[in-house]
Amino acid sequence: MKVNWGTAIVLVFIGFISFILYFVVRMNTDKKYEHDLVTEDYYKQELAFQNEINAEQKGNALHNNVEVKKIAEGLLVVFPKDKNYTKLSGSISLYRPSNKKLDFEIPITLQSSEILVPQNKLIEGRWNITVNWSYENTSYLFKESFTY
């Protein structure tokens, strides 16, 4: 049987569409390719974004901003020494871009001007840390990406 050029074009289109549909179905059903949004309440956080920018600018304007140090026991978050640590409050959020299940948040309760994130909570790889803290009714924000 001879195939003319019109039939060949139709067969090529059918083959191409089948190829694309195969990958669309595979990407939607395979859990390995599942990626979540960064946050569940994206629009709610977007409305508060200007407050976040202002708090980050205040933090950057400090002479001594928050420092994050990797030590043997884990991750050490050091607050400015010129602030009275008993008046500090807020939270430390650690976000793992590759796995939503590893994200966690620690409330800031200080015995000194430092707080330790234990090594057993951190897995090797890339992390984003956000320290949202306030001192005497002024909000500050510190953000950093690091590899543990």
Side-chain angles (χ1 to χ4, degrees):
M1 166 179 217
K2 252 185 162 180
V3 178
N4 65 15
W5 63 272
T7 307
I9 289 176
V10 169
L11 291 175
V12 167
F13 276 134
I14 290 172
F16 179 72
I17 291 169
S18 300
F19 175 74
I20 295 298
L21 285 175
Y22 166 75
F23 279 106
V24 168
V25 169
R26 181 160 181 198
M27 291 294 171
N28 285 328
T29 58
D30 195 348
K31 296 292 181 198
K32 184 171 86 173
Y33 300 114
E34 188 174 307
H35 296 288
D36 297 321
L37 289 174
V38 174
T39 61
E40 296 296 325
D41 53 351
Y42 175 78
Y43 293 109
K44 183 179 173 184
Q45 284 190 349
E46 188 66 29
L47 294 173
F49 192 61
Q50 186 60 47
N51 295 337
E52 189 175 309
I53 291 171
N54 294 341
E56 192 169 5
Q57 287 174 343
K58 288 177 191 172
N60 292 337
L62 292 173
H63 294 300
N64 299 320
N65 200 358
V66 173
E67 291 180 49
V68 177
K69 299 176 184 175
K70 182 179 169 183
I71 60 173
E73 294 83 20
L75 193 69
L76 188 66
V77 180
V78 181
F79 290 92
K81 302 276 190 220
D82 58 344
K83 307 286 186 201
N84 183 357
Y85 65 85
T86 58
K87 295 181 181 179
L88 289 173
S89 63
S91 64
I92 299 172
S93 301
L94 283 128
Y95 166 71
R96 180 70 184 239
S98 63
N99 190 347
K100 178 180 175 181
K101 294 175 183 127
L102 296 175
D103 299 350
F104 63 95
E105 189 169 308
I106 300 172
I108 296 174
T109 53
L110 298 173
Q111 310 304 329
S112 67
S113 63
E114 304 171 343
I115 190 167
L116 179 69
V117 179
Q119 182 180 10
N120 62 359
K121 288 191 170 191
L122 299 169
I123 296 174
E124 287 185 14
R126 183 172 177 260
W127 288 88
N128 293 344
I129 185 169
T130 303
V131 182
N132 190 357
W133 59 288
S134 61
Y135 179 76
E136 295 181 343
N137 296 327
T138 304
S139 295
Y140 300 96
L141 185 70
F142 173 79
K143 288 183 173 182
E144 187 175 280
S145 296
F146 66 93
T147 302
Y148 188 77

